[in-house]
Amino acid sequence: MDHFQLVDGVLHAEQVPLTRIAEEVGTPVYVYSRATLERHARVFKDALAALPRTHVAFAIKANPNLAVLKVLASQGFGADVVSGGEIARALAAGMAPGDIVFSGVGKTRDELGYALDSGVGQFNIELEEEGAVLAELAAARGLTASAALRVNPDVDAGTHDKISTGKAENKFGVPIDRAAGIYARLAALPGLEMRGVAVHIGSQLADLAPLESAFGKLGGLIADLRGAGLTVSHADLGGGLGVPYKAGEVFPSPAEYGAMVARVTRGWDTVLMFEPGRVIAGNAGVLLTRTIRVKRSSNRDPFVIVDAAMNDLARPALYGAWHDFDAVRPSGRRMTANVVGPICETGDTFAMGRDIDALEAGELAVFRTAGAYGATMASSYNSRGFVAEVMVDGDKFAVVADRILPEEISAAERVPEWLA
Ligand SMILES: *Cc1c(COP(=O)(O)O)cnc(C)c1O
């Protein structure tokens, strides 16, 4: 459930008409609903309430906006981060360093050092060499880094290839059949406290079965490690729960997920860690856009050309992803159209031959479910600026990320003297 609803014929975010945001901030603009974020955070936590010891870390890469992180920090969420920049954001949002989990497939020495100096709570190690570097850096500082070994369970998550991470051919984690040896060798290093194991098999999962299979394999590994006399006090189950992008689609609920986790992890006697991203933020945001004009031809569907483009919302171009597209003031009339942005690429297409609310030049519309992997993937391609972000809270709203203008971006560029 989200808080983007029609009120008196106008789409609102909570109590704010989107027409007002468009007038005051301009378009395109991402609009987040605080109440929706809080609701999703609560539903997720409630789903885990029956589990004895849990830790929830929001996967910052889904939506790193500081205001969004602040809302989730106030809900007791820590952060799953994949770069030094994300560590800085989690800290800036007031998250406790000890609640930060540092994932990421290629952590540099600088990032590892920064994370150690910041007091990051857990390092999810992606390969043995990385663990050795971390141990060396920690020991040199007189510290002990708490770490989990990320394993690749070789499970097909059944999702889009580009967001599948748990198959043997993917770059993530160590092969599960080599994990016990690596864990034992790392556990012997000074500077490192190996405390657990981690999996994350992919994103936008529509089915719990692959997760259940991966968790089952992780349980087997935990038993093997303990059998070898090693300590395992933490199990990180990653993120990946999918969300409906099309009205009427049904996905496993957090409650069903929580029940599955409780069943599979019974008797593990570990802290269970979670890294949800999309399921928290996805339906808490929309991308508000204005129709520039409608291009009609006699024998084809018209093109509805909007002012948002693939540089603002990359998912359709990247993954062929679907976003529901609705008018802000629907007239009741419908049209079949192709919805495209103004960028000079055919890939700048949001929908083909889709039945949508009829739109004319100047009218507003939204791409729904744009709160995760939306603004954060923006670029300045075609010398477009970076899109602005707004958060709504009841009857008020605030700009939570300024629009960055093309001239501000080009101000960082230099023409060398020898070209002047
Ligand atoms: C991306 C990612 C997540 C979050 O995935 P969602 O599908 O957004 O829940 C969690 N953990 C790790 C390690 C990730 O890379």
Side-chain angles (χ1 to χ4, degrees), residues 316-327:
L318 265 184
Y319 318 128
W322 176 289
H323 285 266
D324 274 352
F325 181 71
D326 295 313

Side-chain angles (χ1 to χ4, degrees), residues 44 57-62 80-82 101-105 124 126 150 163 165 172 198-205 236-242 274-281 372-373:
F44 195 84
F58 175 62
I60 286 194
K61 75 173 191 283
D80 176 69
V81 302
V82 293
V101 178
F102 192 4
S103 300
V105 77
N124 284 1
E126 287 273 350
R150 177 167 178 184
I163 49 175
T165 58
F172 301 95
V199 284
H200 171 72
I201 61 168
S203 197
Q204 184 55 6
L205 307 190
D236 186 336
L237 303 183
L241 212 50
F274 300 88
E275 303 168 347
R278 191 188 309 270
V279 74
I280 304 297
Y373 307 103

